[in-house]
Amino acid sequence: MNAVEMRGITKRFPGIVANDQVHLSVNQGEIHALLGENGAGKSTLMNILFGLYQPDEGEIFIREKPVKITGPTKAAALGIGMVHQHFMLVEPFTVTENIILGAEPTSRGCIDRHRAEREVREISEKYGLRVDPTARIRDISVGMQQRVEILKTLYRGAEVLIFDEPTAVLSPQEIDELMEIMENLVREGKTIIFITHKLKEIMRICDTVTVIRRGKTIGSTSVKGTSEQELASMMVGREVSFSVNKQESRPGKTVLKVQSLTVKDSRGVEAVRGLDLEVRAGEIVGLAGVDGNGQSELLEAITGLRKAHAGDILLNGEAITRLQPRAIARRGVGHIPEDRQKRGLVLDFSIGENMVLQTYDQTPFAKGFLLRYPEIFRHAKRLIEDFDVRTPDEQTHARALSGGNQQKAIIAREVDRDPDLLIAAQPTRGLDVGAIEFIHRRLVEQRDKGKAVLLMSLELDEILKLSDRIAVMYGGRIAGWLNPKTTNEEEIGLLMAGGKVGEEVAQG
Amino acid sequence: MSKKGWAILMLSLVTVLAISGCGAANNQADGGFKAGLVTDTGGLNDESFNQTAWEGMEKAKKELGADVKALESKRDEDYIPNLTRFIREKRDITWGIGFKFEKSMRDVAEQFPDAKLGIVDSNMGGKIPSNVVAVTFKEEEGSFLMGVIAGSMTKTNKVGFIGGITSPLIKKFEAGYVAGVHAVNPKAKVEVVYAESFTDEAKGRTIAANMYDQGVDIVYHASGGVGKGLFNEVKTRKKGKYWAIGVDMDQSRLAPDHTLSSMVKRVDVAVFDVMKDLKDGKFAGGKQVELGLKDQAVAVADTTDKYVPADVMKKVEDYRQQIVDGKINVPATDEELKSFLKK
Amino acid sequence: MKHLEQIHNQSAWLTSLISVLLGMLVGAGMMLAAGYDPLLAYGALFQNAIFQPYDLGETIRTITPLILTGLAVGLAFRTGLFNIGVEGQMIIGSLAAAIVGLKFSLPPVLHSAAAVAAAAVAGALWAFIPGLLKAVRGVHEVITTIMMNFIALNLSNWLVRTWLSNGADSTDKIKESASLRWDLLSQWFDNSRIHLGIMIALLAAYGMYVLLWKTTYGFELRAVGYNPHASEYAGMNVKRSILSSMMISGMFAGLAGACQLLGTSGYLSIRGGFEGIGFDGIAVALLGANAPIGILLAAVLFGVLTYGGGNMQFAADVPFEVIRVVFAAIILFVAANLSQSIFSRARGMRREPHA
């Protein structure tokens, strides 16, 4: 039986057709992957199913009955629940309070807290969610928060659960646990629609996959009968190479040297504790670690965004420890920031303006105090072409670009400044395979040009694929150095979790 | 901007012009006597001199068949255009009510030497243009009588005065009042507070509440709209113990059971008289018309005997007579008050 | 034009235009409900504001400070700051201009220039305080600027009473040499109080345009306004930008104060409360979408409504308060961005038959 069927769905927005005659049919009790690049129309389709948008054309059937989903309330009544990518939780409230919000059980006009807690606990145990109903949201981990979102939909009687890119925010450990939960859910008879662009996850857990490209359904296939390679080409529309072709690195002189560096985080707690690190010209050093082990603070200290508490940072032998971000950038540090929309771009600026975010006051972009827009836009045009940034033109606002193209724009800007040290923090987070492939190639290209590259990533895959040496961070220190050729995910995972590994490569 | 944008802009412009064209007001003179009144920022319903002035205008409408009209000023900068509007309509006289018109009145008078103008509550620093009649009142005389009432009736020997904005005009009220209190009850103390506003009702209420809390039992005000706060406050307090005294017009209806008296300033009478004279061909241009108890232009409100006992009323009448006869010279400034108190 | 369009895109134009029309419609509805004739009233309003030289002059005089306060609010908005203190900065500007105009003796042109400059500096310094608190301590500028308004009001009143006049409620008129009035200009406009402040306002609008969209410094200010995190990443000095944006905003407000004092009134009087020209600047900036051209047009509209509104009670007996309702309605419509939904619906309907 089909739990959900969407036939000939078309949705137009001013200027684009987000869904064009899309077809999706999901069997009862399966995990159905919805695969597509960013901007392919997955979210639009799911928002239609969840009642947030009304389709311009097409029909929807829930358990074989035609329905009209006029809003989220109607969707909930039909047993459709959505676990959003960005959680919709009230931070100071407890888990239970968040779950019952809007559907509070009452007795004599008051909220029946005990009944609510009991019910939440029951559901939690049934599906192996292991959530403490009395904990406050702000005190629990991101993975737990996601489970609260899942509980929320279950509490409202969801039979079909939509997961919108649920693994994007999780650590590898948490991803494993999520997969387990999803299996539990299906075992109990629920149906799951899993929006993703991560092929590994699909291969691992899904039964069926529907691929969408540029608003159109490309095809639907059983996961057993396909491969990552095939899915990737379906999604991107061409052959994709997974492996990175790179030659042996020829490391040169030391570009970055970090000596017993200590950095405090925003709460004043030491996030980096006496860390030593060296990156040489012509090599990629991969910085692995579970999120929150001081990687972000380390990179912020190197780029001058955060003050170092103690220790030294040397660039080409010169101390840059106490310099302002601009001075550091001008001495030859390029930085692809972790959060591209918060740090990397001014979304309401044009692409052209974003391309000169650090260099706007230098020739040829400025003459005295005056900006020279023709030069700025000419520069942007060149970068857009060189780095294949898909944008209508250089005057388009950065906001209008897809995530992948925003990231390409940042990389274009940073690489073009020709820095001796390129810091790339999570450069491919949330991007689709096409964009990932492009960005990986660019990073290796920098290495081959004799630049030093420091790559921070939470994706072990990426670290293993690109790095010449791997530094694993744990508790604000480098827990160990590994050779990517001889190590494996398990070994890195062990170090990331604070364990010890026998074989290590010597530093330097 | 796109063609569509321009089209919409043009369309709306045309609409606006069309509207203004057909709405052109037609204010042709009908030959009768016409007068205009411009209020200060207090507005027409200020329970104060603007309102009484307008009563005079309405009386002129009734008795002289005058065509009268008022314009309310929202900001100080509106005085000049508002006066100018009436002058351009060739009104026979245009009034500016309140001393805040002083500077604007001079500018306008110079610019339109043929227009006849009137100002209330200001002698324009003694230099009155020849086409302006300046009506002022001896507020200190009326205030003196209020002081007599307050001084006689206070149980706590503490009375209060709330002033509007510190200025020579309001000083006249204060000086007269303090002198009156002192004349009948030298032991009584007068609390004086200026609100530095003529419109801030809330501030008036706060000041009044503070005074009453500190043992003051009778408060007189000369503060325009601020005074409304005084009445709102006294209304909430014990009847027969706390009192307010009003100003400019009989304000007893603001707090009927808590109002002892009001110092009535007959701006209406003054405004009406000037207009009547003007209609008869007499215009005291360039002169100051100063009106006091003698002219019955400042007076004790008629409703005063409701709560003020007969013996106090008699005292008030005595003092009134003495002032009219010139036996008492009521102080109008701080200096005059000082020498008055020494006696 | 291409670049201007970018600053002030078409949808903003339409939003503003439609909001104005809707706002006036609401006003008309109110007048009908209260038994007035809206056609007569609006007719009187526009006729009075524009058609005679005197009125045109007075209307321009009304528009002048609105442009400047609108620019002050708009510039701060552009850099991510909500300067509610324009009213207070304007009062301080007036105060400084009055002090220079009364207490100094200088040759004619120099005197007025000095008074204007003093007002600009005073306004900037007044805004410096909340700017500093924001940049250094992170104190929200809305709170501090509101407080500074009251301090400004009372400081000005106190100085008028104690120093600038002898216990009177207003100062003497400033010296002729400090005045912004220009006889020839006044004569063209039938002796109205139009003054050279309008030139200052237009220059300020052009100055804001050049500063924000033509200079490297404006690039920084805008970047900080849109995204302080990215600006910090790009090596801009976010704190300095906040500070200078507040000060430039305060400078515009100070200039508005100078225009009011040196051009319109010529003297400083004790204020019972806020005049509200600074607060109207918020409305002007909002309607003008924080762009110089938009602010100019919005100031023209609000100026016409304000000055012409006085005539509504004159010719049609409609109380001036109706105009304030129209103001409020316009702003409400801009804020709610109703036009957007109206347009998208209209577009949707047009497409339906093809579907």
Side-chain angles (χ1 to χ4, degrees), chain A residues 305 325-326 335 337 341-343 345-346 348-349 353 357-358 360-361 366 369-371 373 395 413-414, chain C residues 2-3 6 210 213-217 219-220 222-223 226-227 229-230 232-236 347 351 355:
Chain A
L305 291 171
R326 173 149 304 171
H335 181 196
Q341 299 205 337
K342 186 180 160 198
R343 285 279 193 198
L345 294 167
V346 177
D348 293 299
F349 267 10
E353 288 169 308
L357 210 54
Q358 298 106 325
Y360 60 90
D361 57 349
F369 290 114
L370 294 181
L371 292 169
Y373 270 98
Q395 305 206 5
R413 179 182 71 207
E414 297 307 311
Chain C
K2 169 102 186 162
H3 197 63
Q6 214 185 323
V210 170
W213 284 278
K214 294 284 172 199
T215 68
T216 55
Y217 202 58
F219 186 91
E220 256 176 61
R222 282 186 299 133
Y226 281 132
N227 187 345
H229 303 288
E232 189 193 6
Y233 153 85
M236 299 171 189
R347 219 167 274 164
R351 195 177 291 126

Side-chain angles (χ1 to χ4, degrees), chain A residues 98-274:
Chain A
N98 267 285
I99 289 169
I100 63 174
L101 204 64
E104 300 89 347
T106 54
S107 82
R108 279 168 294 155
C110 297
I111 293 178
D112 191 343
R113 194 174 299 270
H114 293 289
R115 198 178 109 204
E117 263 169 31
R118 198 178 58 238
E119 285 174 4
V120 169
R121 185 163 285 131
E122 277 166 14
I123 302 172
S124 166
E125 276 163 16
K126 185 173 172 190
Y127 298 100
L129 290 169
R130 296 193 293 272
V131 172
D132 174 9
T134 58
R136 286 187 194 282
I137 296 297
R138 60 170 175 228
D139 299 332
I140 62 179
S141 70
V142 172
M144 274 296 170
Q145 290 180 12
Q146 187 175 58
R147 293 186 198 179
V148 176
E149 284 282 351
I150 297 171
L151 263 175
K152 229 158 90 177
T153 63
L154 294 172
Y155 184 81
R156 284 162 175 70
E159 288 300 317
V160 178
L161 283 84
I162 306 166
F163 282 82
D164 187 5
E165 309 219 356
T167 57
V169 290
L170 300 182
S171 69
Q173 210 77 47
E174 286 172 327
I175 291 175
D176 288 345
E177 286 168 13
L178 176 67
M179 301 270 155
E180 213 172 287
I181 291 166
M182 287 168 86
E183 275 163 359
N184 286 343
L185 286 167
V186 172
R187 199 172 304 129
E188 295 291 333
K190 307 286 182 196
T191 306
I192 293 175
I193 301 176
F194 184 20
I195 306 176
T196 187
H197 52 244
K198 291 186 183 166
L199 303 170
K200 272 217 166 67
E201 287 165 7
I202 293 176
M203 298 310 291
R204 182 168 154 196
I205 194 169
C206 295
D207 302 302
T208 319
V209 53
T210 296
V211 182
I212 295 180
R213 189 168 77 226
R214 291 196 192 135
K216 292 196 172 82
T217 313
I218 298 305
S220 198
T221 170
S222 150
V223 169
K224 283 198 193 80
T226 186
S227 66
E228 274 187 55
Q229 197 65 46
E230 191 187 344
L231 286 179
S233 20
M234 272 172 89
M235 171 163 77
V236 183
R238 61 182 164 83
E239 286 297 314
V240 179
S241 91
F242 278 110
S243 60
V244 179
N245 284 325
K246 56 172 189 169
Q247 284 137 24
E248 198 61 32
S249 76
R250 285 186 302 272
K253 65 178 174 80
T254 300
V255 174
L256 174 74
K257 193 177 178 89
V258 176
Q259 289 171 326
S260 24
L261 182 73
T262 299
V263 186
K264 290 184 172 173
D265 68 11
S266 338
R267 290 164 304 165
V269 180
E270 282 187 7
V272 177
R273 304 174 193 172

Side-chain angles (χ1 to χ4, degrees), chain C:
Chain C
M1 197 63 199
K2 169 102 186 162
H3 197 63
L4 276 183
E5 223 169 85
Q6 214 185 323
I7 299 166
H8 199 154
N9 58 37
Q10 194 189 329
S11 75
W13 284 104
L14 280 178
T15 302
S16 299
L17 207 62
I18 288 165
S19 304
V20 168
L21 293 177
L22 285 174
M24 294 190 64
L25 219 58
V26 167
M30 276 206 28
M31 286 189 248
L32 276 178
Y36 300 113
D37 179 353
L39 282 185
L40 184 68
Y42 281 136
L45 189 157
F46 284 104
Q47 190 198 24
N48 179 259
I50 302 165
F51 287 165
Q52 296 214 7
Y54 177 85
D55 293 318
L56 192 57
E58 284 288 322
T59 301
I60 293 172
R61 190 243 337 136
T62 314
I63 290 167
T64 303
L66 286 175
I67 295 175
L68 286 163
T69 56
L71 291 174
V73 176
L75 184 114
F77 262 142
R78 278 278 172 196
T79 39
L81 296 166
F82 195 8
N83 182 5
I84 304 198
V86 171
E87 185 82 29
Q89 291 140 20
M90 190 178 152
I91 291 173
I92 292 298
S94 282
L95 180 66
I99 292 171
V100 175
L102 286 166
K103 302 277 177 188
F104 289 68
S105 289
L106 290 166
V109 176
L110 199 65
H111 198 180
S112 45
V116 169
V121 170
L125 288 178
W126 203 251
F128 170 80
I129 300 167
L132 189 73
L133 286 170
K134 165 98 180 181
V136 177
R137 303 290 311 159
V139 186
H140 203 286
E141 74 278 7
V142 167
I143 313 280
T144 44
T145 51
I146 288 177
M147 297 303 181
M148 295 295 287
N149 282 345
F150 286 98
I151 300 174
L153 180 74
N154 289 301
L155 178 69
S156 165
N157 284 354
W158 179 65
L159 284 177
V160 169
R161 203 179 316 125
T162 54
W163 181 41
L164 297 169
S165 77
N166 300 320
D169 84 306
S170 64
T171 66
D172 289 337
K173 285 217 165 192
I174 51 158
K175 293 178 181 137
E176 200 62 35
S177 53
S179 173
L180 279 178
R181 298 242 193 117
W182 184 30
D183 288 343
L184 199 59
L185 191 67
S186 303
Q187 275 161 27
W188 285 344
F189 289 93
D190 204 4
N191 280 316
S192 67
R193 285 176 295 168
I194 186 172
H195 50 80
L196 292 173
I198 185 68
M199 304 312 288
I200 296 178
L202 291 174
L203 275 175
Y206 183 69
M208 168 170 164
Y209 167 69
V210 170
L211 173 72
L212 281 185
W213 284 278
K214 294 284 172 199
T215 68
T216 55
Y217 202 58
F219 186 91
E220 256 176 61
L221 292 180
R222 282 186 299 133
V224 169
Y226 281 132
N227 187 345
H229 303 288
S231 311
E232 189 193 6
Y233 153 85
M236 299 171 189
N237 191 332
V238 174
K239 286 177 181 173
R240 196 185 60 187
S241 290
I242 287 174
L243 209 54
S244 47
S245 149
M246 265 321 261
M247 286 180 72
I248 299 168
S249 172
M251 190 187 85
F252 285 152
L255 285 174
C259 290
Q260 283 298 86
L261 192 110
L262 303 171
T264 302
S265 68
Y267 62 92
L268 196 60
S269 59
I270 288 181
R271 292 160 211 256
F274 296 116
E275 275 185 308
I277 296 174
F279 298 128
D280 284 351
I282 299 172
V284 168
L286 198 58
L287 182 63
N290 304 321
I293 301 251
I295 288 170
L296 277 182
L297 292 177
V300 167
L301 176 80
F302 280 18
V304 165
L305 288 179
T306 304
Y307 181 73
N311 198 47
M312 269 188 3
Q313 54 167 323
F314 190 69
D317 277 328
V318 178
F320 183 80
E321 277 68 20
V322 169
I323 285 301
R324 302 304 301 188
V325 171
V326 173
F327 272 29
I330 290 174
I331 292 316
L332 208 66
F333 286 124
V334 174
N337 206 354
L338 275 184
S339 61
Q340 206 105 59
S341 65
I342 290 170
F343 263 82
S344 56
R345 190 156 302 165
R347 219 167 274 164
M349 273 191 289
R350 237 178 300 142
R351 195 177 291 126
E352 217 75 69
H354 299 283

